[in-house]
Amino acid sequence: MSEPNTAAQPSQEFEKVLVNSSTEVASFDTHDKTPLQKLQHFLHSSPAAVPLIVLVLSLAAFGAILGGKFFSAFSMTLILQQVAIVGIVGAAQTLVVLTAGIDLSVGAIMVLSSVIMGQFTFRYGLPPTLSVLCGLGVGALCGYINGMLVARMKLPPFIVTLGMWQIVLASNFLYSANETIRSQDISANAPILQFFGQNIRIGNAVFTYGVIAMVLLVSLLWYVLNRTAWGRYVYAVGDDPEAAKLAGVDVKRMLVTVYTLSGLICALAGWTLIGRIGSVSPTAGQFANIESITAVVIGGISLFGGRGSILGMLFGALIVGVFSLGLRLMGTDPQWTYLLIGLLIITAVAIDQWIRKVAA
């Protein structure tokens, strides 16, 4: 009697599904990508490329129209001075947006911190250095409260920071009694409050310490976000918090840390604001929240979180500065600046949606 052909007949019930199944080795689709697809993949891997290209083109356009009046050392450094505050607050906003959140209270925290620095010095007679530390602490505390409400109580970031914006704004006016501390008084009694308004001249170029602080801050955060585990965790939390949690990331702690750091950076912006305008004013910088979001969006940072570069935010802030100065030098109505920036915002979001299809 011959042996049964065991190779032809499945010996187990579950093996019956394999009969007549394909025996080909799995292979991947290796067809060449179109130029448009290659561009899409490049922009996905280099999120700061689009705002950099727009910045270079806008500089070239205004330079061609205005010539040396625009392309001068003084004009270029003036743009940096004008965007220093937005760049610092934008850095705080970037951290939050990368976690798929948004912070509408950044401007109010900035102004309150500056008011604390001024009032603690002139109302209570504290040493200016201690007053600065108190202001930085108040900013960090506001950010910490935002983080706790978002991370621990699971409240939407938009609602939390909208409420914090109103609370901090009202507290600012109530505490300061809408009182402005004059520049002359600060110069005479607490010059350290105006530290970031001091400048270094190199020929016709004027670099304030506020500009230097902005560049150093953005450079430091770029390194942290791209070269450290903490930075990778920030992107992971923004991209997929559940996956990040399964990978061992303490998502709640990360969110609290990010919002606290954001508040601290806003307080630094408040100190820089005093140097920029010379005085302590509770009404200054009220639109910093909108301006920071504008810089973030134009800078190619996804509002859905998990994708973008802080360098893109800086480029976005500079684009706004270039348009503002260029159109002003051309003598156009200031409303054209807002119109063009609005178009840039919508275009940036549309490009982000198109780029996101790569990861879909």
Side-chain angles (χ1 to χ4, degrees):
M1 182 180 292
S2 61
E3 293 288 333
N5 188 355
T6 56
Q9 299 294 330
S11 58
Q12 300 291 335
E13 185 68 23
F14 67 85
E15 291 181 346
K16 291 181 179 180
V17 297
L18 300 177
V19 176
N20 298 325
S21 62
S22 175
T23 59
E24 293 181 2
V25 178
S27 60
F28 295 96
D29 187 4
T30 58
H31 69 277
D32 292 333
K33 295 182 177 66
T34 64
L36 191 61
Q37 289 175 324
K38 289 180 180 179
L39 175 63
Q40 194 176 19
H41 278 269
F42 168 72
L43 296 178
H44 185 268
S45 60
S46 305
V50 173
L52 178 59
I53 294 170
V54 174
L55 176 61
V56 171
L57 291 177
S58 60
L59 284 170
F62 283 113
I65 296 171
L66 297 168
K69 185 166 62 171
F70 180 79
F71 265 137
S72 65
F74 178 78
S75 294
M76 294 296 100
T77 52
L78 180 60
I79 292 172
L80 289 173
Q81 293 175 41
Q82 290 175 339
V83 305
I85 304 297
V86 176
I88 295 174
V89 179
Q93 189 72 257
T94 297
L95 294 176
V96 174
V97 171
L98 286 175
T99 64
I102 196 165
D103 193 342
L104 298 177
S105 64
V106 287
I109 293 174
M110 174 188 72
V111 178
L112 178 62
S113 298
S114 70
V115 167
I116 291 293
M117 294 175 190
Q119 293 292 339
F120 275 32
T121 300
F122 289 91
R123 182 185 295 185
Y124 306 126
L126 292 180
T129 304
L130 182 58
S131 298
V132 168
L133 293 176
C134 291
L136 294 174
V138 168
L141 177 62
C142 292
Y144 176 78
I145 294 172
N146 280 338
M148 290 295 291
L149 292 173
V150 171
R152 303 294 178 182
M153 298 189 66
K154 304 291 187 182
L155 298 179
F158 181 88
I159 301 301
V160 169
T161 58
L162 178 63
M164 181 61 74
W165 176 25
Q166 298 295 323
I167 292 170
V168 172
L169 197 62
S171 301
N172 169 37
F173 287 118
L174 290 171
Y175 175 69
S176 67
N178 208 18
E179 175 190 1
T180 297
I181 301 175
R182 297 184 308 166
S183 176
Q184 301 93 315
D185 296 332
I186 297 175
S187 300
N189 301 295
I192 192 174
L193 295 181
Q194 298 176 334
F195 171 75
F196 287 109
Q198 299 175 24
N199 59 64
I200 300 173
R201 291 181 176 271
I202 304 175
N204 292 327
V206 182
F207 297 94
T208 63
Y209 289 141
V211 169
I212 296 172
M214 176 192 68
V215 173
L216 291 177
L217 176 65
V218 171
S219 300
L220 176 62
L221 289 177
W222 178 88
Y223 177 83
V224 170
L225 288 170
N226 291 276
R227 296 289 185 268
T228 68
W230 187 86
R232 289 190 289 272
Y233 293 163
V234 170
Y235 281 98
V237 169
D239 188 50
D240 191 336
E242 291 302 321
K245 186 176 180 180
L246 292 174
V249 178
D250 189 337
V251 175
K252 292 181 179 179
R253 183 178 179 183
M254 281 297 303
L255 287 174
V256 173
T257 303
V258 165
Y259 278 90
T260 303
L261 180 57
S262 173
L264 179 61
I265 294 173
C266 290
L268 174 63
W271 187 8
T272 309
L273 178 65
I274 299 175
R276 173 65 180 160
I277 64 176
S279 59
V280 175
S281 173
T283 60
Q286 297 297 334
F287 297 103
N289 54 347
I290 302 301
E291 292 170 345
S292 67
I293 295 172
T294 299
V296 165
V297 172
I298 295 178
I301 297 173
S302 176
L303 292 177
F304 299 96
R307 195 186 71 83
S309 170
I310 195 167
L311 292 179
M313 179 282 302
L314 180 58
F315 297 150
L318 289 172
I319 289 168
V320 175
V322 167
F323 272 84
S324 299
L325 180 62
L327 292 173
R328 192 181 310 133
L329 291 175
M330 290 173 63
T332 59
D333 191 310
Q335 300 306 320
W336 281 103
T337 303
Y338 297 110
L339 187 149
L340 292 174
I341 290 173
L343 291 175
L344 282 174
I345 291 172
I346 296 173
T347 303
V349 174
I351 292 174
D352 175 64
Q353 291 286 72
W354 177 67
I355 294 173
R356 282 175 62 86
K357 292 180 181 179
V358 173

